[in-house]
Amino acid sequence: MNAAKQVRLGEEDGLLHIIFPYAPALVEWMRTLRGRKWDGAKKEWTSDLEVEAVKELKAKGFTLCNKLTVMLNDKSSLAQVVIPQVEVNGMLHPLYPFQEEGVSFIEFKKGRGLIGDEMGLGKTAQALAWLKLHPELRPAIVVCPHTLKINWARETEKWIGEDTEILDGRPNGHQPIGSILIINYDVLANLTEKVERNGKMVREELLGTGWIDHLPKAAIVIFDEAHYIKNAKSGRTKAIKSLCKGVKHVIALTGTPILNRPIEMYNTLNLLAPNVFGNYWRFAQRYCNPTYNGFGWDFSGSSNTEELHALLTRTVMIRRLKKDVLPQLPCKVRSIVPLDITRLDKEYRAAEEDFLGWLGGIDPDRMERAAKAESLVRIGALKRLAAKAKLSQCIEWIEDFLEQGEKLVVFAVHKDVIDTLMKHFGDIAVKVDGSVGMEDRQKAVDEFQSNDKMRLFIGNIKAAGVGLTLTASSNTCFLELEWSPGLQDQAEDRVHRIGQEADSVTAWYLLAEGTIEMEIALMLDDKRKTLDKVLDGKDTEDEALLTKLLTKLKEGRNK
């Protein structure tokens, strides 16, 4: 390489590093490059990585490193980073090869990066595997939406076998002692609270009432659903920045398509790599298709997306789509998302206690058909109350899923649950339940299959779980359960049929923790594993499952 005038690509920061003998005219020209900066200690200039800048430097007689030379001929090659592979020992379950690559990427970036894989590809497992690589990095603090806190605790136990402490509400003097702490965004800082002022409920700032001042200094911070901090002025964003200040290792997770709305990820990128993404205005002007509307700038668009993708993958991000890793995936993946209804379960707990009291006076071995019929009614009431208690969290989860740009098929049992979903999601959803005639059912299916604006299909498991083809999505979500695993499997298969572009589908089960839903789900899964083929949902199978459930509940009460 010419020692006089040369340009190399920085592996760690993704910037152009430029050196040349001092010449006033060349210095003046350097000041015209976007993002240029003089490093007095290293006696070199740096500038943003842009194809046009590389072309201009070459035209000025600079010698380019090999990677930059290749980039001019093939822009996509810039995203191809050679990552040394690492081996994660002691995992309780094996990782897929692409997940191992994700762990290696975070290791290569020294524990500071963004895992941007599509939903369902195991971002949580990859982050936990990196934690397993570094047991010396404790305490670890995980920040996530409140709907995912229990899931993080379960996944931690599943993958690496470490105990966690879930933090909720206000600290009230509590000093966390767990090695892996899990907290949700909204209680991390707790910056505002509703208070009464002149007869009206208003929000008032209450600095210092959250967990920030009570948390131990983190060795690593992992924040899930990173798009939650897209607003720089929000309490969430301020809390995350405060928590991460001075922390060497920070891992962000999100499946939201960054290149569609780059401005929403600026805060995350700035937090992970401030030396690369340190100027909001420059980032917005270059990558957010800025338009001036007469009152201010609109940065909701996207521009120079190839260049941004190359910059992200070179510096902080690894992202894989489901279609990219299909050969590694099973045909169907089931995932339970446990939801915490502690604050909303008074009505459910009262009904549960009443049911268990009634059950305590009955001998399951001599239970008459009439008693079983009554137990079905009582259990149905419990299932309905559990669905009611978790519904707001289910809606939040669905909203987060739709943020990623994919369609989703949602199944439920009760009409009021389906109607609530339809009312909330309005113009982007269609439904099929017992109230929808055959002709309108097909219209709903056609709308979901062909209309990009129809993002959500909401169906009753029995009414919509058979005969329909819903291959516009590769994801199903269950808010409630039927008695037969056969019915669940048939509903799952609405998106797993001929015509499905994705060969792997994911079935999400959103279940209320500590309720009868979990008991039924475990039994359904156990029964499914004992069968050689899908059940046909016969009443005899339903009755056997009911008897087993009643026996288990009665035994649990007698302990």
Side-chain angles (χ1 to χ4, degrees):
M1 184 178 287
N2 186 345
K5 296 164 65 176
Q6 59 182 352
V7 187
R8 67 176 179 85
L9 179 63
E11 289 286 352
E12 293 300 319
D13 57 19
L15 299 176
L16 299 176
H17 291 252
I18 309 162
I19 62 171
F20 56 89
Y22 176 76
L26 201 50
V27 170
E28 286 301 312
W29 178 81
M30 275 296 304
R31 290 181 176 138
T32 67
L33 288 181
R34 295 172 57 84
R36 79 280 183 269
K37 184 178 180 180
W38 169 249
D39 187 332
K42 296 182 179 180
K43 304 298 182 184
E44 67 177 17
W45 290 82
T46 60
S47 76
D48 291 345
L49 174 58
E50 297 177 2
V51 175
E52 292 304 317
V54 176
K55 289 180 179 179
E56 291 179 23
L57 286 162
K58 183 178 181 181
K60 282 287 184 179
F62 282 81
T63 301
L64 309 180
C65 70
N66 291 336
K67 290 179 181 178
L68 291 174
T69 300
V70 171
M71 183 194 73
L72 290 181
N73 299 323
D74 180 9
K75 295 179 186 179
S76 65
S77 67
L78 190 60
Q80 298 171 3
V81 183
V82 178
I83 303 170
Q85 296 299 297
V86 298
E87 185 175 351
V88 186
N89 295 314
M91 294 290 286
L92 301 181
H93 297 274
L95 295 170
Y96 293 116
F98 73 88
Q99 292 174 327
E100 293 177 349
E101 181 185 16
V103 179
S104 297
F105 177 85
I106 296 299
E107 178 72 359
F108 179 62
K109 294 301 178 181
K110 298 180 172 60
R112 200 172 187 93
L114 169 65
I115 302 177
D117 291 345
E118 191 174 22
M119 193 171 188
L121 295 186
K123 296 184 289 293
T124 301
Q126 294 172 65
L128 289 171
W130 195 80
L131 277 185
K132 186 70 174 180
L133 268 181
H134 294 279
E136 76 281 4
L137 296 180
R138 303 292 185 275
I141 297 179
V142 176
V143 186
C144 61
H146 76 282
T147 56
L148 299 180
K149 287 197 296 186
I150 296 177
N151 189 63
W152 264 96
R154 287 193 169 197
E155 290 292 287
T156 302
E157 176 66 25
K158 170 186 174 182
W159 288 100
I160 63 177
E162 289 193 44
D163 292 331
T164 61
E165 183 178 355
I166 296 178
L167 306 178
D168 202 355
R170 293 185 178 180
N172 295 324
H174 174 67
Q175 293 298 321
I177 58 175
S179 62
I180 299 180
L181 306 175
I182 302 171
I183 189 169
N184 56 298
Y185 287 96
D186 295 329
V187 304
L188 178 61
N190 201 14
L191 293 176
T192 63
E193 182 180 80
K194 279 191 175 182
V195 296
E196 186 174 348
R197 289 285 181 270
N198 300 322
K200 295 182 178 180
M201 297 301 292
V202 297
R203 285 204 170 272
E204 182 177 276
E205 193 169 2
L206 295 169
L207 293 175
T209 61
W211 281 94
I212 287 291
D213 296 331
H214 299 266
L215 291 173
K217 184 64 176 178
I220 174 174
V221 173
I222 300 171
F223 61 106
D224 197 2
E225 304 294 352
H227 54 279
Y228 267 52
I229 67 167
K230 61 186 177 183
N231 183 352
K233 297 181 180 179
S234 72
R236 292 171 175 175
T237 305
K238 292 176 182 177
I240 287 293
K241 288 185 175 181
S242 175
L243 181 65
C244 293
K245 188 174 182 180
V247 177
K248 184 177 180 181
H249 308 291
V250 180
I251 300 175
L253 312 177
T254 182
T256 300
I258 296 169
L259 298 182
N260 292 349
R261 298 177 295 276
I263 202 64
E264 294 185 357
M265 288 304 298
Y266 177 79
N267 292 320
T268 295
L269 299 175
N270 173 253
L271 186 62
L272 294 173
N275 56 335
V276 182
F277 305 101
N279 189 303
Y280 175 88
W281 178 256
R282 188 164 66 235
F283 181 90
Q285 288 289 322
R286 182 66 182 171
Y287 301 119
C288 303
N289 192 26
T291 56
Y292 188 75
N293 58 21
F295 298 96
W297 286 95
D298 179 3
F299 296 130
S300 61
S302 62
S303 52
N304 299 306
T305 54
E306 279 190 21
E307 179 182 298
L308 177 58
H309 178 73
L311 179 58
L312 289 171
T313 52
R314 175 62 64 181
T315 55
V316 297
M317 183 185 78
I318 186 167
R319 174 170 170 80
R320 283 72 56 90
L321 304 178
K322 187 182 289 186
K323 65 181 182 180
D324 299 330
V325 296
L326 276 179
Q328 301 178 35
L329 296 174
C331 291
K332 188 186 292 185
V333 177
R334 295 187 179 97
S335 180
I336 289 180
V337 180
L339 301 176
D340 183 8
I341 64 167
T342 304
R343 296 180 180 178
L344 304 170
D345 68 350
K346 289 183 179 179
E347 188 178 5
Y348 176 86
R349 295 303 172 198
E352 180 183 57
E353 189 64 28
D354 180 65
F355 168 71
L356 292 176
W358 171 83
L359 183 62
I362 297 177
D363 183 354
D365 294 333
R366 298 181 179 179
M367 182 175 284
E368 301 296 332
R369 181 170 293 275
K372 287 183 178 179
E374 184 177 351
S375 68
L376 272 176
V377 173
R378 288 173 175 265
I379 289 174
L382 285 178
K383 290 169 65 179
R384 192 169 195 154
L385 288 173
K388 177 183 175 182
K390 70 180 181 181
L391 191 52
S392 62
Q393 293 185 64
C394 292
I395 289 173
E396 183 179 334
W397 187 93
I398 292 170
E399 288 175 335
D400 285 340
F401 181 94
L402 295 178
E403 277 281 323
Q404 298 173 93
E406 291 190 67
K407 293 191 176 191
L408 179 66
V409 176
V410 177
F411 287 109
V413 174
H414 292 100
K415 186 177 185 302
D416 54 346
V417 173
I418 293 173
D419 290 345
T420 299
L421 293 175
M422 285 299 299
K423 182 178 180 180
H424 183 86
F425 290 101
D427 295 337
I428 66 168
V430 295
K431 77 168 182 177
V432 169
D433 62 9
S435 68
V436 179
M438 293 304 297
E439 185 174 338
D440 288 335
R441 290 186 187 199
Q442 191 56 50
K443 287 181 180 178
V445 170
D446 292 343
E447 276 285 283
F448 181 74
Q449 288 287 91
S450 60
N451 187 344
D452 291 339
K453 294 181 180 179
M454 289 299 148
R455 309 283 309 288
L456 203 59
F457 180 96
I458 303 168
N460 171 274
I461 294 178
K462 287 184 176 178
V466 294
L468 303 184
T469 298
L470 303 171
T471 51
S473 173
S474 61
N475 289 271
T476 59
C477 173
F478 291 84
L479 306 194
E480 299 180 273
L481 301 172
E482 282 287 359
W483 283 103
S484 168
L487 290 175
Q488 306 292 143
D489 293 350
Q490 288 175 345
E492 289 174 354
D493 288 342
R494 296 313 93 207
V495 302
H496 191 231
R497 300 167 68 79
I498 297 173
Q500 172 59 268
E501 293 182 3
D503 292 329
S504 179
V505 302
T506 303
W508 306 90
Y509 286 82
L510 277 54
L511 305 178
E513 178 77 352
T515 71
I516 203 165
E517 286 189 333
M518 283 294 186
E519 298 289 351
I520 294 174
L522 291 173
M523 290 184 177
L524 286 173
D525 191 52
D526 182 61
K527 180 169 282 293
R528 179 186 283 121
K529 291 177 181 178
T530 66
L531 301 177
D532 294 327
K533 60 182 180 179
V534 174
L535 290 176
D536 59 3
K538 292 180 181 178
D539 291 340
T540 53
E541 298 291 355
D542 297 350
E543 186 172 328
L545 192 67
L546 173 63
T547 301
K548 184 177 180 181
L549 175 61
L550 293 175
T551 302
K552 184 175 181 180
L553 291 174
K554 187 177 178 69
E555 290 174 350
R557 180 172 176 79
N558 292 335
K559 285 183 179 180

